[in-house]
Amino acid sequence: MSPFGALREQLLGAAASFADAPAAVPEILTGLVDDVDRALREELEIFPVCHHSPASALAMARRLREKQPKVIYLELCEDLGPLLGELRNCRLPVALQAFATDLDGFPAGWGPLSVVAPITEASAEYQAIAYALETPGVELVLVDRSSDHVFQAQPREEESAHAAGEEAGLHGDAVGIEIGDLRPRFAELEEHLLHHGKVRHWSEWWDQYVEQPLADADYDTYRQVMVLIGSLFRRLTPEKGDRLARDEERERHMWTRMREHLAATEADPAHCLYVCGAFHAASRVEEFGLSGRAGYEITPRTATRWLYGLIPSSHSAIEAQFGLASGSVSIAGATWAKAVSRGGVRPYRLDGQQGARTKRAKAAPPAPAAEPVTDKLSGFLSRPPELDGVDEAELLGWCVDIVRLARRNGYLASTADAIAVYETSILLAGMRNRVRPTPYDFQDAAVTCIEKDSVPGRRDVRHLCEILLGGDRIGQVGYDALPPLARDVYDRLEPLGLDLGKRTVQRALLNLDAEPHLEPCSHLLWMLRYLLPDGAVRPIMGSRRLGERSIQESWDLTIGQHQRAVIELGYEGVTVEQVLEQRLRRAVWDPKATAATALSAVEDSILFLGSRRFTDELGARAVELLSAERTVDDAPEVLRRIRRLLAHYRATEPELPAWCAAFVTGGYAHYCTLLPSAFVADDTGVRQVGAMLGFLFTMEGLALSLGCDRAQLELAVQQSHPEAPAKVALLWAARSQLGLLPLADLRARCDELLANPLVIPSFPLYITGFVQALESVPSLGPFVVEVISKAFARLPDSVLLPWLPKLITTLRREAAELVPVLVREAGRTFPAALGELDTWAPPWTATRPTPAAVPVGAAPAGPANTLLAAHPAACDAVAALLGCDGAWATAEAPPASGAAGDLLSRHPATAAAVATLLGA
């Protein structure tokens, strides 16, 4: 006969008396009792827990010392087992992590994949781990699905398998694995419990109605109550969602693994303990129990390569990832510490952790005989909780300390506030049916009595209470538990003399001239700045660019705060250089990579790696990407980077690399081909077309020397027929550079535009085109200043004043980087002093004196004419090359009307200068 028969009858009677729909309620209530009875009758002892629950940790510590099991089956990812021994080298809380970047069998959009399982000292799983690792002859077996199976269960239609919402602190967007997720999955049930419990959030309800009553309960009562709660939440879980199905798959997996282990080792179930969440202890799958249905097949893992390690965690990260109330994990830690200090239980700790060395447990004695299951639920549910008196010493200490903290943070708190917080805490506890005020009551009382209209500092009173009750404890992974890359980083930065484990900002000063041995540290810091998140390594003084070398550098380092990022670098390679090379290679071979991306990778490889072979490989990829591009959106970036790289190679190498020559020649032909279509395309901006012309004109000399044909550029310009004003101006500038449009004609066209009232509103666009042309045709600088000056001089105020804002905004939007060039040219053109302005004449309006014409019929006189008459062969040869026929003029014969004679007659100064040099 079931020991819970009386309780079942009592619940059925209550359901018949009070339920409006007795057909459903009796089934639920009797099902709860059946689940408890089934779990407690199982041959393999089931220990139900709740994640980060001090009550579970206390019950676990007591049960382990009492039973001394030889095998512990733990609900944790089975592939995380090798990491557990490294917990000795860490300061809790930390998280076990599985990480994968190279995916095989999962959608590409899911990567990188990350699974974390946080561990705190106030948790039952830590007690089980510490017991198993510190007790000889005890085997710890992880039986939950592997990290690969966790993601196999994710719906494939999701774009990403990561947790939704904002990043959860130190855990980032990793998928969290927890033992004992005890929270109602029926929203109306949780709302009902919070309302009638007179609490604000689930963590407070759990502390009041579960944690405190079970903290000192006996083991049988603890087990029955936890299974009852798990059964209640399970039976009220909606069956339409996928979550319940995934939970049942986990349970089938765990029971299958346990049966396989028992069969392989022939272990006695009486010496074993199965630690799982209370939700899974009330499982109803057919595979439940050692006598359950066998034959469940576990799917194989994918070919994804998983990497494992430990990352730092914190109370706030755990709360954010698992939806707990802020400060609840810190309060749980404080409750655990108080229970341990009170005595009555001696917890397990890993040898050497946190400076405490524990004694090893004795060898496991024979397992005690199984005691018959008795009903402890009836008494627990019918008996009112034992109400302890107010712990005055603890509450008074809290009240005094919170006033002290409030004063330090700018609040005008006094002793009267401490008394008010004390009395209000007792009042709130009484209103919530509590005799002993909890930390949550104290928090509310402190906020009510101390916090005023505004917060004077960075922390409000609720945050101060969290600090007082333990704060946001942040864990740290020890040196010995770090991956090889992270240890290498710490070793290479050791000459700086800093404690990189600290979470505070540390300043590193490097005088590279006086201390050349610090140059490797500087090089590593620049690579870490490239690889780590913003803020981890921040340069205050110094730079790393092509052709530059810093003499002194100053850095702000917060590597201790970003230890997780450093650890995850270790999943990608053994050294920082290897990780950097892999990332650069992955960036340039990405399907969305462009030529600008490849050139950026080339520059980074020169700065950080110094491998000529790898740099040439990236450069060859840049040539491929440029020839495959069908747009010119990245032309400005391409031009800027290839200029810088060419300048670097010209200054440091005897000759250009082969990929540079190929990039210039390929880019010359590529941009010549795309130039006509870019001029007329609406989706191509004037800046992109200006950059194309800048590449063609500035690289023209090098391209021609490498075998390119200038006719390509001339044909491309002649085939371009833009309509947009800015692009028209760019085309005029290009034709002027090629000699197809004389400067006088260009000036005349601009004068016509200024004289046309219909064109005046769009004239700023023409100016924008001319300004963009300064990059490709810098000799047009004086002309652009001339055009703008004429516009300001000729336009009336009624036209000029509305026209100025458009000019400024257009220049700022289209040519902001070239306006300083224009300003410098204007500074050279206009007078430097105000007093010179009255007598200053614009250079484009100044008249140039023309030399007096020499009569054609007169024979030129002077030493030059004598020299030329004495040696006519040279002049005749030049005239023949020019196609000119003419006779020489002498004193006796009149001059012939030939071109050579006319040239000498009109320009005697040149011949006179030559004669002077020859001494004639």
Side-chain angles (χ1 to χ4, degrees), residues 12 19 25 39 47 75 79 82 84 91 213 224 236 238 312 365 370 378 463 491 655 670 691 704 821 851 860:
L12 287 175
V25 175
F47 191 101
E75 179 197 335
D79 53 339
L84 299 179
R91 184 177 70 240
Q224 295 177 24
L236 294 181
S378 299
H463 189 188
D491 293 341
E655 60 181 6
H670 178 70
L704 296 181
V821 179

Side-chain angles (χ1 to χ4, degrees), residues 47-50 55-56 59 214 217-226:
F47 191 101
V49 301
C50 175
S56 296
L214 290 181
D218 61 89
Y219 177 60
D220 291 336
T221 302
Y222 168 82
R223 287 183 70 196
Q224 295 177 24
V225 171
M226 292 295 288

Side-chain angles (χ1 to χ4, degrees), residues 863-875 888 904 911:
N865 184 65
T866 304
L867 178 64
L868 292 174
H871 305 281
C875 193
W888 287 90
L904 292 173

Side-chain angles (χ1 to χ4, degrees), residues 463-488:
H463 189 188
L464 296 178
C465 291
E466 294 175 7
I467 296 174
L468 174 65
L469 296 172
D472 183 18
R473 182 174 298 178
I474 300 174
Q476 186 178 24
V477 180
Y479 177 85
D480 294 332
L482 293 173
L485 180 143
R487 291 201 298 268
D488 182 58

Side-chain angles (χ1 to χ4, degrees), residues 307-446:
L307 301 168
Y308 302 94
L310 297 170
I311 62 172
S313 184
S314 66
H315 291 169
S316 60
I318 297 172
E319 292 160 358
Q321 188 166 34
F322 300 117
L324 304 177
S326 176
S328 59
V329 178
S330 298
I331 292 175
T335 303
W336 162 260
K338 181 180 178 181
V340 171
S341 63
R342 245 183 359 212
V345 62
R346 185 159 59 95
Y348 289 93
R349 285 181 178 172
L350 290 173
D351 189 12
Q353 191 172 53
Q354 294 184 345
R357 188 176 184 85
T358 58
K359 296 182 179 179
R360 294 185 181 272
K362 298 179 180 179
E371 298 180 359
V373 178
T374 59
D375 179 15
K376 296 293 185 73
L377 279 177
S378 299
F380 182 84
L381 296 176
S382 61
R383 182 177 65 250
E386 298 179 3
L387 302 178
D388 298 331
V390 178
D391 190 344
E392 290 186 296
E394 179 186 52
L395 185 57
L396 283 174
W398 287 350
C399 296
V400 172
D401 291 340
I402 192 61
V403 169
R404 183 184 298 111
L405 271 177
R407 286 175 178 173
R408 292 177 182 174
N409 287 269
Y411 287 93
L412 300 177
S414 62
T415 305
D417 292 313
I419 299 173
V421 172
Y422 178 85
E423 297 295 340
T424 306
S425 299
I426 298 176
L427 177 63
L428 289 176
M431 295 173 60
R432 296 167 178 171
N433 296 326
R434 309 170 189 165
V435 172
R436 180 184 178 277
T438 66
Y440 298 99
D441 299 324
F442 167 72
Q443 274 189 337
D444 294 340

Side-chain angles (χ1 to χ4, degrees), residues 753-774:
L753 294 177
L754 278 175
N756 189 348
L758 299 178
V759 182
I760 292 299
S762 61
F763 197 74
L765 299 176
Y766 286 92
I767 294 178
T768 300
F770 284 127
V771 173
Q772 286 288 350
L774 293 178

Side-chain angles (χ1 to χ4, degrees), residues 341-691:
S341 63
R342 245 183 359 212
V345 62
R346 185 159 59 95
Y348 289 93
R349 285 181 178 172
L350 290 173
D351 189 12
Q353 191 172 53
Q354 294 184 345
R357 188 176 184 85
T358 58
K359 296 182 179 179
R360 294 185 181 272
K362 298 179 180 179
E371 298 180 359
V373 178
T374 59
D375 179 15
K376 296 293 185 73
L377 279 177
S378 299
F380 182 84
L381 296 176
S382 61
R383 182 177 65 250
E386 298 179 3
L387 302 178
D388 298 331
V390 178
D391 190 344
E392 290 186 296
E394 179 186 52
L395 185 57
L396 283 174
W398 287 350
C399 296
V400 172
D401 291 340
I402 192 61
V403 169
R404 183 184 298 111
L405 271 177
R407 286 175 178 173
R408 292 177 182 174
N409 287 269
Y411 287 93
L412 300 177
S414 62
T415 305
D417 292 313
I419 299 173
V421 172
Y422 178 85
E423 297 295 340
T424 306
S425 299
I426 298 176
L427 177 63
L428 289 176
M431 295 173 60
R432 296 167 178 171
N433 296 326
R434 309 170 189 165
V435 172
R436 180 184 178 277
T438 66
Y440 298 99
D441 299 324
F442 167 72
Q443 274 189 337
D444 294 340
V447 172
T448 302
C449 300
I450 297 177
E451 194 160 84
K452 312 302 179 186
D453 296 335
S454 61
V455 178
R458 294 182 302 171
R459 303 182 179 95
D460 57 10
V461 174
R462 189 169 300 280
H463 189 188
L464 296 178
C465 291
E466 294 175 7
I467 296 174
L468 174 65
L469 296 172
D472 183 18
R473 182 174 298 178
I474 300 174
Q476 186 178 24
V477 180
Y479 177 85
D480 294 332
L482 293 173
L485 180 143
R487 291 201 298 268
D488 182 58
V489 168
Y490 281 67
D491 293 341
R492 292 166 65 178
L493 294 180
E494 188 176 358
L496 297 179
L498 302 176
D499 185 2
L500 300 179
K502 292 183 177 179
R503 297 183 56 83
T504 56
V505 179
Q506 300 185 78
R507 177 65 57 88
L509 302 176
L510 286 73
N511 188 342
L512 301 180
D513 275 356
E515 300 173 307
H517 65 279
L518 295 180
E519 288 189 4
C521 296
S522 171
H523 187 67
L524 177 60
L525 290 175
W526 284 112
M527 288 191 290
L528 291 176
R529 179 177 181 265
Y530 181 89
L531 296 171
L532 294 180
D534 293 339
V537 178
R538 186 165 62 94
I540 305 301
M541 181 176 65
S543 62
R544 175 63 65 95
R545 297 187 184 93
L546 290 177
E548 295 184 4
R549 177 184 176 274
S550 298
I551 299 175
Q552 292 181 336
E553 293 179 355
S554 175
W555 295 83
D556 276 352
L557 307 180
T558 55
I559 294 179
Q561 292 184 12
H562 296 82
Q563 191 182 44
R564 178 198 173 187
V566 178
I567 292 173
E568 290 185 348
L569 286 181
Y571 300 154
E572 301 182 46
V574 180
T575 63
V576 174
E577 288 80 3
Q578 181 186 5
V579 174
L580 182 57
E581 180 177 340
Q582 291 177 355
R583 289 197 181 183
L584 292 178
R585 182 176 282 111
R586 189 163 55 243
V588 298
W589 265 272
D590 187 88
K592 297 182 180 179
T594 62
T597 304
L599 290 179
S600 175
V602 169
E603 188 172 341
D604 292 333
S605 69
I606 295 173
L607 290 175
F608 302 125
L609 299 178
S611 172
R612 182 62 181 269
R613 176 199 55 79
F614 181 60
T615 302
D616 291 346
E617 179 184 343
L618 298 179
R621 177 60 177 170
V623 177
E624 296 177 8
L625 292 173
L626 181 65
S627 60
E629 287 183 356
R630 293 296 175 263
T631 64
V632 293
D633 295 340
D634 293 332
E637 183 74 6
V638 170
L639 176 61
R640 182 173 62 86
R641 292 193 178 277
I642 192 61
R643 277 178 174 174
R644 192 157 56 223
L645 289 169
L646 288 175
H648 166 74
Y649 281 119
R650 283 168 176 161
T652 59
E653 300 285 344
E655 60 181 6
L656 291 178
W659 75 265
C660 271
F663 192 92
V664 172
T665 56
Y668 191 86
H670 178 70
Y671 285 138
C672 283
T673 304
L674 297 181
L675 187 62
S677 59
F679 262 117
V680 296
D682 294 334
D683 57 345
T684 303
V686 62
R687 185 180 179 187
Q688 281 70 31
V689 179

Side-chain angles (χ1 to χ4, degrees), residues 48 74 80 95 157 182 236 286 312 448 468 573 579 591 640 654 703 741 773 779 816 852 859 885:
L74 184 61
L80 298 179
E157 61 271 11
L182 277 186
L236 294 181
E286 295 179 357
T448 302
L468 174 65
V579 174
R640 182 173 62 86
L741 182 63
S779 60
D885 296 328

